[in-house]
Amino acid sequence: MTFNNDKAIYLQMADRLCDEILAGTYADDDRVPSVREYAVALEVNTNTAVKAYETLARDGVIYNRRGLGYFVTPGARATIMEQRRRAFLGDTLPAMLRQMRLLGIGIDEVVSAWNSTATGA
């Protein structure tokens, strides 16, 4: 995984695991990779992976079964979607709309771009 400098690595790792849950790689009550497995797979320090898992556990996305590992909390997908929708509507969209106004980009251009990506053109 390539990390960027805009966000802490453990948060990027947590986002990636959330992406995998959203994509259906892990369903409710599925076991996720162990902290060590995930750290090795992403080539990061184990302590960084621990911090990512602790964050996800605190947010109710995963839970720990002592001696068995971490599992996806039932309803985690809906929780992640709700959190991300709120962040998008509260942060991303207003910033995007400001940029559109500054650059003179109209909604018709956005719809056209949306339609071309939706059809794979």
Side-chain angles (χ1 to χ4, degrees):
M1 178 173 177
T2 303
F3 298 102
N4 63 50
N5 294 325
D6 298 342
K7 195 180 220 183
I9 291 174
Y10 79 95
L11 292 175
Q12 292 177 63
M13 291 178 67
D15 285 347
R16 179 182 167 142
L17 193 54
C18 286
D19 289 347
E20 291 170 348
I21 292 168
L22 289 175
T25 304
Y26 304 107
D28 289 354
D29 291 314
D30 278 356
R31 184 183 174 282
V32 297
S34 72
V35 170
R36 272 198 192 92
E37 291 168 342
Y38 215 52
V40 168
L42 300 182
E43 300 176 352
V44 299
N45 185 292
T46 304
N47 292 330
T48 304
V50 166
K51 200 167 181 180
Y53 276 49
E54 287 174 347
T55 299
L56 291 170
R58 187 184 63 241
D59 291 346
V61 173
I62 60 175
Y63 65 94
N64 189 3
R65 284 190 189 161
R66 191 176 178 120
L68 297 176
Y70 283 94
F71 295 79
V72 177
T73 302
R77 187 174 192 280
T79 300
I80 295 164
M81 287 185 72
E82 179 57 32
Q83 290 171 347
R84 288 191 175 183
R85 285 174 188 241
R86 268 188 272 129
F88 179 80
L89 292 172
D91 301 324
T92 306
L93 186 59
M96 185 178 83
L97 294 173
R98 276 192 302 279
Q99 286 298 311
M100 287 174 59
R101 283 188 192 98
L102 288 171
L103 299 172
I105 298 172
I107 194 67
D108 293 337
E109 288 178 76
V110 173
V111 170
S112 177
W114 172 268
N115 289 336
S116 68
T117 60
T119 60

